[in-house]
Amino acid sequence: MKERIAVIDLGTNTFHLFIVELSKREVKTLYREKIAVKIGKNGISKGRISADAKKRALHTLQVFKTIIDQFEVKTVTGVATSAIRSAKNGQQLLDEIKEKTSIDIQIISGDREAELIFYGVKSTFHLTETPQLVMDIGGGSVEFIIGNNEEIFWKQSFEIGAQRLLDKFHKDDPMPQESIEEMSSWLETELSSLVSAIEEFKPQGLIGCSGTFDTLSEIYMKENGIERAPNSLIFQFPIEANNRIYKELITKNRKERMHIPGMVTMRVDMIVVASCLIQFVLKHMNTENITACAYALKEGLLYTSFSHIKISEKSTPN
């Protein structure tokens, strides 16, 4: 008996729709969509979802509803994260979505979000006994998880996502050196618990989930004439390459960044502060590579909600 399931992730920057078909412990991906709704724009730093963002969100969910119906999906699981979680009118938006589309979206805690991200990575990555640091940079929050193939040792969600960092620090373009230094100093305080956890558990690698890490890996591949393998879920690139890209990002303005091969429009604004955040984390780690992983929250939600299934063949770094 085949069953079709839709997973929806309402992120601060991007709304995701993931439709799969379950059969005999296997999963067939039928449809993937991501739309840059930018629900945190012009409101996240004020704790509200703006009227324009609300319109974009409702329109996108109506599109998702049409697609879900076309695929005759009966089971829909949806979650909302940082921007909606922290907005005074976040639940009001979800109530309107339920009224207009019949799609029920649940707000999840940052702690639960971090856990789901780790299981998304674990579903496709050959973790070993060696602890790894998993990092997911969203628009509203950033999740860090230290774990191995057996367990999660430490996890925490911080409300310091790329949209929030952009509003707070990237006010001039290119981002001035003094703003970069101010942000780094601020992160020392905000992420002191992360620094302590890194010192305690000593993760040996950094695994970055989707978003910024996908774009950084694309830039690296374009620079080096590397073709991404079909259906590749993870890609590894050296710290030295990341450092070169970082220096390029902080010295160029938006128009110049858009001309970097591999850059995508939806990342061009937030990638500067996101890259600064990655540099801060790497400063406290001893690793030679970054591994970009395409799986994150939505796959973790599928993995945990339907734990009897096998999402994908696990991958090893390129």
Side-chain angles (χ1 to χ4, degrees):
M1 184 69 178
K2 294 181 179 179
E3 179 185 5
R4 291 184 174 182
I5 296 168
V7 174
I8 297 173
D9 168 16
L10 304 191
T12 300
N13 293 327
T14 312
F15 283 12
H16 296 262
L17 173 62
F18 182 31
I19 299 176
V20 299
E21 186 172 74
L22 310 186
S23 176
K24 296 180 180 179
R25 298 177 62 85
E26 296 291 329
V27 178
K28 178 182 179 182
T29 299
L30 300 180
Y31 186 88
R32 279 183 181 271
E33 180 68 273
K34 61 180 178 181
I35 297 177
V37 176
K38 295 189 176 181
I39 198 168
K41 189 174 182 180
N42 297 325
I44 195 167
S45 298
K46 303 170 188 173
R48 293 192 65 82
I49 297 166
S50 71
D52 285 347
K54 182 178 171 182
K55 287 178 184 177
R56 293 193 299 271
L58 287 169
H59 173 72
T60 301
L61 265 294
Q62 287 166 336
V63 171
F64 283 2
K65 172 63 173 173
T66 299
I67 296 166
I68 288 167
D69 290 345
Q70 287 173 346
F71 278 92
E72 300 180 340
V73 175
K74 303 301 181 188
T75 304
V76 180
T77 301
V79 295
T81 57
S82 178
I84 296 174
R85 183 167 63 225
S86 63
K88 296 179 183 71
N89 57 343
Q91 187 58 53
Q92 179 186 340
L93 171 62
L94 299 187
D95 291 343
E96 286 194 45
I97 289 171
K98 179 70 178 292
E99 180 185 342
K100 294 181 179 180
T101 68
S102 300
I103 296 174
D104 189 16
I105 304 291
Q106 299 296 318
I107 295 173
I108 59 172
S109 68
D111 193 62
R112 178 59 173 161
E113 185 176 357
E115 191 175 69
L116 290 172
I117 288 164
F118 182 78
Y119 286 121
V121 171
K122 191 176 179 181
S123 72
T124 191
F125 196 90
H126 270 302
L127 293 174
T128 65
E129 293 181 356
T130 304
Q132 302 286 317
L133 174 63
V134 174
M135 178 179 183
D136 189 311
I137 306 173
S141 63
V142 181
E143 282 67 47
F144 294 98
I145 312 96
I146 299 176
N148 66 3
N149 60 329
E150 293 291 335
E151 62 182 311
I152 293 173
F153 299 115
W154 177 90
K155 65 181 184 294
Q156 192 168 344
S157 176
F158 299 86
E159 295 293 319
I160 58 166
Q163 182 65 59
R164 298 184 198 273
L165 294 175
L166 179 68
D167 292 350
K168 188 176 182 66
F169 296 106
H170 194 171
K171 297 176 181 178
D172 296 302
D173 202 26
M175 190 173 172
Q177 184 60 35
E178 53 267 33
S179 296
I180 294 170
E181 293 171 2
E182 181 189 358
M183 177 177 162
S184 181
S185 177
W186 183 80
L187 289 173
E188 287 286 355
T189 300
E190 293 294 314
L191 297 180
S192 58
S193 58
L194 168 67
V195 174
S196 297
I198 290 173
E199 290 173 355
E200 180 179 357
F201 297 107
K202 297 177 174 56
Q204 298 302 299
L206 175 62
I207 302 171
C209 295
S210 56
T212 295
F213 292 96
D214 278 347
T215 302
L216 293 174
S217 64
E218 283 292 334
I219 292 171
Y220 171 74
M221 285 188 286
K222 293 289 186 183
E223 281 182 346
N224 293 274
I226 300 170
E227 289 289 330
R228 187 183 290 274
N231 302 317
S232 172
L233 297 173
I234 63 174
F235 184 85
Q236 195 173 81
F237 57 100
I239 295 297
E240 291 80 2
N242 176 73
N243 293 343
R244 286 197 308 273
I245 296 168
Y246 163 74
K247 289 175 183 176
E248 185 176 16
L249 292 172
I250 63 172
T251 55
K252 291 187 172 182
N253 61 32
R254 189 183 196 277
K255 184 177 180 181
E256 292 167 333
R257 291 195 301 275
M258 273 306 307
H259 285 97
I260 299 173
M263 181 62 70
V264 291
T265 304
M266 79 166 66
R267 304 286 171 209
V268 70
D269 295 314
M270 298 183 194
I271 198 167
V272 178
V273 290
S275 187
C276 290
L277 176 58
I278 294 168
Q279 289 300 109
F280 173 85
V281 172
L282 290 173
K283 181 174 70 174
H284 293 280
M285 292 186 67
N286 181 23
T287 183
E288 295 181 355
N289 300 292
I290 295 174
T291 302
C293 178
Y295 277 11
L297 189 152
K298 58 189 180 300
E299 290 82 12
L301 184 61
L302 182 64
Y303 181 80
T304 55
S305 300
F306 307 93
S307 56
H308 61 286
I309 66 174
K310 179 181 178 184
I311 295 181
S312 70
E313 292 300 321
K314 296 195 176 186
S315 304
T316 52
N318 300 62

